[in-house]
């Protein structure tokens, strides 16, 4: 299986901050990398696919970059609605795998 | 697009449960469907996928040989049959539609729409 290592596991930030979450794949997943946001008791929400393409309806303060093994999710100017858990997922295999998640908390 | 899971509940270790995922709002027969679960206090775990035509099915190692997946296009429904359940299977189970139709040898696409989830508790 392809291993996805996400960091940090917890991130404390303030409203208006810019934050970055990283995800490392082993081995390479090309650009078949998605980012999801999940809030407690809710289904995940697709934010970004193909590593850098913003899903329709997702605010432009979210952006993704990377290819191969190293990826980042950046959120500019944090809003109250952004405090949630974020997961990366590779889908370059018949057994897609998620990172362990990053919980974004209010400082 | 709407996906609605059902069939969750409480089961004893070793028992079986069948989950359903009823879909609407898109051409169901064109898309593969994933199952993903979230155990209490843990992250998301991909469980299984079935191709749009039901010809290929993929499973996580943790459920291989115990879970099966099927679809009934006449009912726009995907089923996840779970057997030999253990406490490790306790989780909220979500179904999700793949973003774009995929076919072998391409791997399944990411999930763009999700159901609300159904809770499975395995406990004696």
């Amino acid at each position: 299986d392809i291993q996805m290592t996400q960091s940090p596991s917890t991130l404390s930030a303030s409203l208006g901050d810019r934050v970055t979450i990283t995800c490392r794949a082993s081995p390479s997943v090309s650009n078949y990398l998605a980012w999801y946001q999940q809030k407690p008791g809710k289904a995940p929400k697709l934010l970004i696919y193909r590593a850098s393409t913003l899903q329709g309806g997702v605010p432009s303060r979210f952006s993704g970059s990377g290819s191969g093994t190293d990826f980042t999710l950046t959120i500019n100017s944090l809003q109250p609605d952004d405090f949630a858990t974020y997961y990366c997922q590779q889908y370059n295999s018949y057994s897609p795998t998620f990172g362990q998640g990053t919980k974004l908390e209010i400082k | 697009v709407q996906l609605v899971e059902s069939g969750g509940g409480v089961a004893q270790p070793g028992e079986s449960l069948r989950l359903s995922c009823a879909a609407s709002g898109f051409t169901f027969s064109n898309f593969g469907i994933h199952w993903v679960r979230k155990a209490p206090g843990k992250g998301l775990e991909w469980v299984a996928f079935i191709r749009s035509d039901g010809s290929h099915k993929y499973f996580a190692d943790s459920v291989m040989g115990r879970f099966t997946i099927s679809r009934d296009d006449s009912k726009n429904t995907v089923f996840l049959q779970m057997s030999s359940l253990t406490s490790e299977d306790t989780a909220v189970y979500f179904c999700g539609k793949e973003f774009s139709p995929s076919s072998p040898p391409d791997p399944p696409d990411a999930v763009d729409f999700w159901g609300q989830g159904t809770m499975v508790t395995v406990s004696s």
Side-chain angles (χ1 to χ4, degrees), chain A residues 4-86:
Chain A
M4 304 301 293
T5 304
Q6 197 174 328
S7 62
S9 55
T10 306
L11 182 55
S12 296
S14 302
L15 293 174
D17 282 355
R18 178 176 184 258
V19 298
T20 298
I21 299 169
T22 64
C23 186
R24 175 160 289 176
S26 179
S28 168
V29 297
S30 183
N31 67 340
Y32 293 98
L33 191 285
W35 290 97
Y36 299 92
Q37 176 194 68
Q38 188 178 34
K39 296 180 179 179
K42 300 294 186 181
K45 174 186 175 182
L46 177 65
L47 300 175
I48 287 168
Y49 61 97
R50 287 288 183 104
S52 60
T53 303
L54 201 63
Q55 171 69 330
V58 174
S60 60
R61 63 180 180 274
F62 291 90
S63 63
S65 65
S67 68
T69 60
D70 293 300
F71 302 88
T72 60
L73 171 69
T74 299
I75 312 172
N76 287 301
S77 187
L78 277 172
Q79 300 299 302
D81 193 50
D82 299 338
F83 292 94
T85 300
Y86 293 85

Side-chain angles (χ1 to χ4, degrees), chain A residues 1 32 34 36 38 41-46 49-50 55 87 89 91-101, chain B residues 34 36 38 42-46 51 58-61 94 99 104-112 114-116:
Chain A
D1 284 359
Y32 293 98
Y36 299 92
Q38 188 178 34
K42 300 294 186 181
K45 174 186 175 182
L46 177 65
Y49 61 97
R50 287 288 183 104
Q55 171 69 330
Y87 296 92
Q89 183 206 29
Y91 53 104
N92 195 39
S93 75
Y94 297 140
S95 182
T97 44
F98 290 91
Q100 65 268 46
Chain B
H34 294 268
V36 170
K38 186 181 184 307
K42 296 191 175 180
L44 297 174
E45 179 186 17
W46 176 82
R51 294 280 188 189
Y58 312 111
F59 299 92
D61 289 345
F94 299 95
F99 188 90
D106 293 338
D109 207 347
V111 173
D112 62 347
W114 300 77
Q116 83 289 350

Side-chain angles (χ1 to χ4, degrees), chain A residues 36-45 87 89 98, chain B residues 3-8 19-22 32-40 42-50 67 69 78-80 82 89-98 111-120:
Chain A
Y36 299 92
Q37 176 194 68
Q38 188 178 34
K39 296 180 179 179
K42 300 294 186 181
K45 174 186 175 182
Y87 296 92
Q89 183 206 29
F98 290 91
Chain B
L3 298 163
V4 179
E5 302 94 337
S6 61
L19 306 183
S20 299
C21 172
I33 300 293
H34 294 268
W35 284 96
V36 170
R37 67 187 180 184
K38 186 181 184 307
K42 296 191 175 180
L44 297 174
E45 179 186 17
W46 176 82
V47 174
F49 176 82
I50 184 167
F67 289 14
I69 189 171
V78 168
F79 303 98
L80 184 69
M82 308 185 296
D89 298 314
T90 294
V92 177
Y93 285 73
F94 299 95
C95 64
K97 164 192 164 293
E98 68 172 342
V111 173
D112 62 347
F113 287 98
W114 300 77
Q116 83 289 350
T118 186
M119 182 71 205
V120 171

